[in-house]
Amino acid sequence: MPKMMHSGVFLIAFFPLNLLLGQMTDLIYTEKELVQSLKEYIKAEESKLDAVKSWADKLDVVTRASTLDPEGYLAHPVNAYKLMKRLNTEWSELESLVLQDPSDGFISNMTVHRQYFPDQEDEKGAAKALMRLQDTYKLDSESFARGKLPGMHHNAILTVDDCYDMGKTAYNEADYYHAVLWMQQALRQMDAEEEHVVSKADVLDYLSYSVYQMGDLPRAIELTRRLVAIDSSHQRAGGNLRYFEKLLSKQLNELNQEGQEPATEEPIQLGTYKRPNDYLPEREIYEALCRGEGVKMTTERRSRLYCRYHDGNRNPRLLLQPMKEEDEWDSPHIVRYLNALSDQEIEKIKELAKPRLARATVRDPITGVLTTANYRVSKSAWLEGEEDPVIERVNQRIEDITGLTTQTAELLQIANYGVGGQYEPHFDFSRKEEPDAFKTLGTGNRVATFLNYMSDVEAGGATVFPDFGAAIYPKKGTAVFWYNLFRSGEGDYRTRHAACPVLVGSKWVSNKWIHERGQEFRRPCGLTEVD
């Protein structure tokens, strides 16, 4: 039986490194424990300081009396004895007290937990996830900073310094589009006199140069002048200002215009600048579908969609309890099965998968090397039927429902998409330019996909098909099924699909990729290429 396959098909190489939500939850409790440890350290420090103060007060009284008349003071033998005792013993005790370090327990606790802390890459991934959500769902920086997200029940705000760090992350990646949005938000909150550690000069420095990179010279000049007014000795501002003014003057001369074009007084916001194009040609269509826009579900098409009981061509295991089948799309035909997984099965599958979840990888079609990719951000694991009766039962159910053998299918893949997790438009099947994608399996191409939704998602996370404008939303316990290949074995290019970024919540899915071999009599060839 084939194990698993990451094909170069679905990939052109993609939050926190997308930590599993369960792992993120563990970090919440870890932070709580560290706060408690910190409080205990503060209490110990205060107790130590109180003891030192007590010593100081007592010794202050003694030294005040002794220094008034040192000889008279020492004339009393008890005072002479106590002076010797204090300097020989008590001051040593005080020294030991001062040298005590109550931080040992806190530092030890930090050391134990630090191995589980996110690293710099995780923080950068989390920032990129916010930007990804910002783009896909057209959310402005103000909405994020104020915590105004759809479906959110918890308030979470971004400070000036948070916004600055977001902008700096984008800037360091040469992503000037997002650098502008977040530096502008930091500046906006600064101008509203919110508390901050970062200086306004630093914000203006990054913002002005990023605006210049976006091609807006008048605004870059205006922002740089603000920077010079705040810090006339800034090492780059003067040079940048002269360069920007010279560049603008040259542009105006080439256009035969006189005088400097004034900077617009409109504040920078989402839509002020066009997001640069990237490697994904259908990005706008894909993101619109994720927002629920552009879905081509017409009244006429809806009239062709039905629901029915499905017994798998009188399969004995489905006769007494047939599956509830609903049409999601007419052509290509996509169906959803209700109650495909029980809550108990879902929990067992998650329990088996969690210890093995790792960042999902894809195979680079050029190098053939498995790698993580920005367009696929999730954690995944693979489960064999022999591992647990639940997995064997799920595999058998998929076979009963589809009428296709799963003996040549890949293992059951479990994936978890945290906030910002996604899988951009891709094909499940191997295309002609990738003839060797599944060669090692010896089972042919991926003829069909069976996708189980193992959680509801509060916002985002839809499965969308940009070619024909369909959006299918996760519903816990249901499954969707479609064919990737026509009966002729030719790929159905309409099935290019994507998993939209999760905006709120966590998305769990499991999928079975069913291959061609063994289906010869279960799904025989048609008479034409597109049957």
Side-chain angles (χ1 to χ4, degrees), residues 376-389:
R376 188 179 191 186
V377 186
S378 66
K379 295 233 174 183
S380 66
W382 302 78
L383 300 178
E384 296 192 50
E386 294 81 3
E387 294 184 53
D388 192 277

Side-chain angles (χ1 to χ4, degrees), residues 394-406:
V394 169
N395 287 340
Q396 184 62 58
R397 187 178 301 142
I398 292 172
E399 184 166 315
D400 294 342
I401 292 172
T402 63
L404 302 173
T405 181
T406 57

